[in-house]
Amino acid sequence: MPTERLSMRRIRDLLRLKFAQGMSDRAIAGSLGLSKGTVGNYLMRFNQAGLSWPLPCELDDDSLELLLFPRPSMSSLLTRPVPDWAVMDRELRRPGVTRALLWEEYRTQSPDGFGYAWFCEHFDAWKGRVRPTMRQTHVGGEKIFVDFAGDTIDVIDPATGEVRAMKLFVAAMGASNYTYAEAVASEGLEDWIRAHVRMFAFLGGVPKAVVPDNLKSAVIKADRFDPGLNRTYAEMAAHYGTAVLPARPRKPRDKAKVEVAVQVAQRWILARLRNHRFFSLVEVNIAIRRLLDELNMRVMRGYCASRADLFATLDRPNLQPLPPEPYVFARWKRARVAPDYHVEVDSSWYSVPFALIKQEVDVRTSSQTVEIFHRGQRVASHLRTPGRRSHVTVPDHMPSAHRRLGEWTPARMLAQATKTGPAVAAFCEMVMADRPHPEQGFRTCLGVLALVKTYGPERVDAACQRGVTIRARTVTSIRSILKTGLDRAFMEGSEEVAPLQHANIRGGGYYH
């Protein structure tokens, strides 16, 4: 089964890690959950396309995709034979048989077959051997390991007396064991991201990689080979110019540093605060920071140096600088544009260009703004409305017919009606007053004004005068008055029509 092509967002992340971060192909493969061969293939396509880093700002996702994946020739569509891995496994059990020998026999039978590196890599993936545990060597400033402690610390609400369990966020540098810890309200995405922002500020720089566990706030798809990062978490990492290397599921040795740091934090911090009563999260973190400073200044056995000393000599000189501004928390979600060209965000609706109706878009929501992206391009940006069930619409996003209708207001409608005649203004005012919302009468008023093209302003004004008299409310009534000529009795200069005399007509005096 062919490998599914990466999204353009992930390809851009791959290129950023290679050319902006200077990471090796193997490190990029571990960060993005890809094979080393896949990374090499995308970099080869990048070079063959004649591109350079940084990519031009005007190069959108569609153009980049055409450059990286030109229409293939017919020869490249022919599939190469794949070895029978079960046969290869049986043959390897025979004395003297090696992988190199089996590959040579395979290429003899299939001269256009795959190379030796591909042969070994896919055989290992098929067999899934259990590899021995490898001792990790940590380079200064390279990695920081992050996780939540299992134990919690209580905060009492002074108003209600309710006790809430706060989570302890713990981080440890790979080379120096320099530790950071703080209490947060939950393991949710917002608390997870804000803890990282404060962690980077505490370090005064950014490591090349962050190694988290597979909690939902970091990894939405826990997979050994292809972990799916939370979109907000990936955006935060890009903002700080670092890579995220999730630990493999159920492989605690991948993050042994933070496992030990969590144990130390529970014993050194939580155990010492177990008998204290705290009434706010700020109060808890003040106490934690005091103990944290003591922990980092304490001389470690076997090192003859403290975590702070090792951090100053090993990690700090190799950290990347902090960006000018800290990351502003924002949530991402996928949404489909509704038929009214609006997207729903937290029970409010925000407009996009009407040409995107029924298209899927990416929505980025911060505390102040709502940004909407389509295929990597921002198509709309709105200030976030504080209320609920409200609509935020940009006139340029509307079709021309909707825009013209949206420009009308009750005051403008009456001003336009007054230009035609006082009776027309009176009729329009009566129609709008009779509706629950004045806007509901706009179509009726516009329909009456449109009759001027056929009958002229004098007759329409006279028809509206008769309509006001008989309390008509529709365009149909005014049009009927004009067609039957009943408006002429209300026109200026018209002679008053004498009452009709007939033996069968009682007359007005009969009723008094």
Side-chain angles (χ1 to χ4, degrees), residues 102-302:
L102 293 176
W103 175 75
E104 290 174 1
E105 293 175 351
Y106 159 69
R107 287 301 296 265
T108 301
Q109 296 177 0
S110 305
D112 59 339
F114 295 96
Y116 181 70
W118 183 95
F119 181 93
C120 294
E121 180 183 352
H122 283 73
F123 178 74
D124 288 342
W126 174 83
K127 191 173 182 181
R129 291 195 308 268
V130 178
R131 301 182 183 274
T133 302
M134 180 183 67
R135 183 174 182 85
Q136 300 182 42
T137 302
H138 300 288
V139 180
E142 183 181 39
K143 293 180 181 178
I144 187 166
F145 299 81
V146 294
D147 201 356
F148 281 108
D151 294 343
T152 59
I153 186 168
D154 292 338
V155 171
I156 303 171
D157 188 328
T160 64
E162 179 186 1
V163 178
R164 293 186 58 195
M166 301 290 114
K167 303 291 185 177
L168 186 67
F169 173 85
V170 181
M173 289 297 302
S176 64
N177 294 310
Y178 193 62
T179 303
Y180 174 75
E182 71 164 282
V184 295
S186 70
E187 295 186 7
L189 179 62
E190 186 168 359
D191 287 321
W192 173 254
I193 296 295
R194 295 190 191 281
H196 277 71
V197 172
R198 291 187 287 267
M199 174 192 72
F200 291 133
F202 175 81
L203 297 176
V206 182
K208 293 183 179 179
V210 180
V211 182
D213 199 358
N214 285 274
L215 74 164
K216 288 296 183 182
S217 296
V219 180
I220 57 177
K221 176 188 174 186
D223 187 271
R224 180 177 180 180
F225 300 103
D226 188 17
L229 292 182
N230 182 286
R231 182 75 180 271
T232 299
Y233 194 37
E235 183 187 48
M236 184 274 298
H239 178 83
Y240 283 98
T242 187
V244 178
L245 304 175
R248 292 174 296 173
R250 297 177 295 277
K251 296 293 182 180
R253 293 190 184 96
D254 286 3
K255 52 185 180 67
K257 282 284 182 180
V258 76
E259 294 286 345
V260 174
V262 165
Q263 187 180 61
V264 171
Q266 290 180 157
R267 294 174 179 175
W268 186 267
I269 297 176
L270 296 183
R272 283 171 168 76
L273 299 177
R274 68 187 185 280
N275 294 323
H276 291 250
R277 291 163 60 90
F278 298 101
F279 297 94
S280 71
L281 192 58
V282 174
E283 187 180 350
V284 173
N285 282 319
I286 291 174
I288 290 176
R289 178 59 64 89
R290 184 179 65 254
L291 294 174
L292 182 63
D293 292 339
E294 294 178 8
L295 173 64
N296 284 324
M297 295 300 295
R298 183 170 176 264
V299 176
M300 295 185 291
R301 296 176 184 176

